[in-house]
Amino acid sequence: MSNGVTIGQAAAFVGVTVKTVRHYHKLGLVEEPERDSSDYRRYGSADLLRLVQARTLAAAGVPLAGIGPLLDADAARFAAALVDVERQLTERNEELAARRDTLHRLGDGNRALLPDRAVALLERMPGLGFTADEVAAAREGLVLARALVPEGFDDHLAHVEHALRDPRFVALSKRAAECAAWEPDDPRIAELATAMADHYLASPAQLKIVTGLQARTESATRYEMIARHGEEEAPAAARLATLVEAGLRAAGVRIPGPRPR
């Protein structure tokens, strides 16, 4: 009777698949036994022990490329290597936890891209009479502001939060959103632009909503990406923004741009 067990028996005893055993052989983690007189590879106790050790380390999260050196290390090196593996696993767990948090936040599209404070602001807007489309446009603006001018985002958020407590600001903002459906030459656009510019000039804190998003580099480009988002589909809104900015500039307010049109 031949000593040792077949590869199938070895895999079953150790708790892995035959494919895994062969993969361990390919990686050099466990040497292939010599064939016996019946041309079968027979696994002895030492082979099974090595398979168990490799399987245990792999199950503990040790990368397969690092198992071989661990199996061949002396006790001191083995202990030191395990400390390093534990550190790597801790870092990996922290990364996985962060990914899980992102996935949970993806259940709410707003929370995936914006901090809770910005989400709370958006959730206030329907109660102030803003439509779902207007809230969506505000969300896009906040996402762009956070990405392009992160150093000014918290202050910008504070200015908008404060402004939404002002009924006049809310009314003008809703009117501005409505004008997207107007014709670009509608005379109401110039009237609304004057009213908005006058309101900003009379409310320095709210004026910072316009002037605050000025990045340290490529200021005009970043500002325009935020201020002009969505205007390709709304020429009337683009004209309104241009007239409001012109009115503010005429009063001496510094605003990046204008971009050539």
Side-chain angles (χ1 to χ4, degrees):
M1 181 177 177
S2 300
N3 292 325
V5 297
T6 64
I7 187 172
Q9 291 172 312
F13 290 169
V14 173
V16 296
T17 65
V18 170
K19 183 178 179 180
T20 296
V21 175
R22 288 182 172 141
H23 190 53
Y24 287 174
H25 290 328
K26 182 178 180 181
L27 295 176
L29 303 182
V30 180
E31 291 187 9
E32 284 189 281
E34 296 293 333
R35 295 183 182 275
D36 63 10
S37 58
S38 301
D39 203 31
Y40 285 102
R41 297 190 186 279
R42 296 284 176 175
Y43 292 76
S45 298
D47 299 317
L48 293 180
L49 176 61
R50 183 90 173 185
L51 284 170
V52 169
Q53 291 172 328
R55 179 212 65 193
T56 303
L57 289 170
V62 179
L64 290 179
I67 289 178
L70 278 176
L71 293 177
D72 296 329
D74 58 30
R77 288 170 53 208
F78 185 84
L82 285 185
V83 170
D84 187 56
V85 169
E86 182 178 8
R87 177 188 58 76
Q88 294 176 31
L89 289 176
T90 298
E91 292 174 354
R92 192 183 309 170
N93 286 336
E94 291 172 352
E95 180 183 351
L96 290 174
R99 289 182 181 181
R100 280 197 299 269
D101 181 63
T102 298
L103 287 174
H104 291 156
R105 293 173 73 87
L106 281 171
D108 180 336
N110 290 334
R111 295 184 190 279
L113 297 170
L114 293 168
D116 290 342
R117 182 179 170 191
V119 174
L121 184 151
L122 293 172
E123 290 174 344
R124 283 178 55 199
M125 292 182 66
L128 296 172
F130 290 94
T131 67
D133 287 344
E134 291 162 3
V135 174
R139 171 184 179 272
E140 292 173 359
L142 289 175
V143 169
L144 285 171
R146 188 188 188 204
L148 297 179
V149 193
E151 68 275 13
F153 182 72
D154 286 343
D155 287 341
H156 176 69
L157 208 55
H159 299 323
V160 177
E161 288 170 339
H162 184 268
L164 286 178
R165 302 189 187 101
D166 181 351
R168 177 64 174 161
F169 174 84
V170 171
L172 287 171
S173 298
K174 289 162 65 176
R175 187 71 169 160
E178 292 170 4
C179 95
W182 301 349
E183 293 298 322
D185 59 354
D186 192 311
R188 293 175 295 175
I189 295 177
E191 296 173 3
L192 178 57
T194 298
M196 291 178 67
D198 289 347
H199 179 76
Y200 279 129
L201 291 170
S203 309
Q206 294 178 26
L207 179 59
K208 291 178 181 178
I209 294 173
V210 181
T211 62
L213 290 176
Q214 298 187 22
R216 298 189 183 98
T217 61
E218 299 180 285
S219 179
T221 300
R222 294 174 191 250
Y223 170 82
E224 291 247 329
M225 291 293 291
I226 299 166
R228 304 293 183 186
H229 81 279
E231 288 183 359
E232 294 83 354
E233 295 80 24
R239 180 166 179 251
L240 175 65
T242 297
L243 291 176
V244 171
E245 290 175 356
L248 294 176
R249 288 193 184 97
V253 177
R254 181 188 180 281
I255 299 175
R259 181 177 57 189
R261 295 185 183 282

